[in-house]
């Protein structure tokens, strides 16, 4: 059974940093997959913010986090990370990790849409206060 477990959420002051982790199990991490991070604030739609193609490490970001957040992976640990710097109050949300198999090429991972991913973690809360 494929499973994703996020950790690393918490409360931080504006301008601070957090690193989220997403540990995967139940699948071969060496098989081509898209790994994504999404977030959902109260009353808002789930927003795709970063993704990574695990085969070559190509990364993609939404404009809202580009330059502040970095997605990365540790294949040996089956873990994907989201380093979040220069946090703002508007970054407050539940953050979700997600994955999907790559069918053709890395370009599939560019689509930061929840319908493009089929396996999800349970989420971790990030709260940024001013």
């Amino acid at each position: 059974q494929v499973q994703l477990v996020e950790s690393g959420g918490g409360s931080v002051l504006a301008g601070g940093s957090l690193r989220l982790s997403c540990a995967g199990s139940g699948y071969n991490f060496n098989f081509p997959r898209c790994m994504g991070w999404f977030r959902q604030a109260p009353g808002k739609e789930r927003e795709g913010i970063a993704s990574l193609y695990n085969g070559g490490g190509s990364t993609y970001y939404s404009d809202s986090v580009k330059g502040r957040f970095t997605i990365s992976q540790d294949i040996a640990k089956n873990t994907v990370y989201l380093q979040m710097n220069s946090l703002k109050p508007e970054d407050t949300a539940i953050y979700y990790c997600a994955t999907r198999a790559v069918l053709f090429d890395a370009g599939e991972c560019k689509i930061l849409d929840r319908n493009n991913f089929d396996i999800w973690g349970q989420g971790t809360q990030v709260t940024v206060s001013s």
Side-chain angles (χ1 to χ4, degrees):
Q1 181 180 356
V2 179
Q3 189 174 15
L4 300 174
V5 179
E6 301 98 332
S7 61
S11 297
V12 64
L13 293 176
S17 299
L18 282 174
R19 189 178 79 156
L20 306 182
S21 299
C22 172
S25 62
Y27 62 88
N28 186 344
F29 205 75
N30 290 314
F31 194 85
R33 301 194 73 87
C34 299
M35 305 299 299
W37 284 99
F38 290 71
R39 66 185 181 186
Q40 189 165 16
K44 294 191 175 181
E45 295 289 318
R46 191 167 296 189
E47 174 193 17
I49 57 174
S51 65
L52 173 150
Y53 169 58
N54 74 348
S58 299
T59 57
Y60 310 94
Y61 298 93
S62 67
D63 288 342
S64 60
V65 306
K66 195 175 297 182
R68 299 188 299 125
F69 292 8
T70 303
I71 186 172
S72 63
Q73 62 177 346
D74 184 333
I75 293 177
K77 294 182 178 180
N78 276 12
T79 299
V80 174
Y81 303 98
L82 185 69
Q83 177 66 44
M84 305 186 294
N85 298 328
S86 302
L87 283 161
K88 306 174 182 179
E90 51 263 44
D91 293 319
T92 295
I94 299 174
Y95 283 69
Y96 298 90
C97 178
T99 186
R100 57 158 286 178
V102 171
L103 301 179
F104 299 106
D105 59 49
E108 296 168 29
C109 302
K110 288 182 183 179
I111 304 171
L112 290 172
D113 184 285
R114 63 181 303 176
N115 295 316
N116 191 38
F117 291 78
D118 55 4
I119 298 170
W120 294 82
Q122 82 289 349
T124 185
Q125 177 71 46
V126 171
T127 302
V128 185
S129 55
S130 57

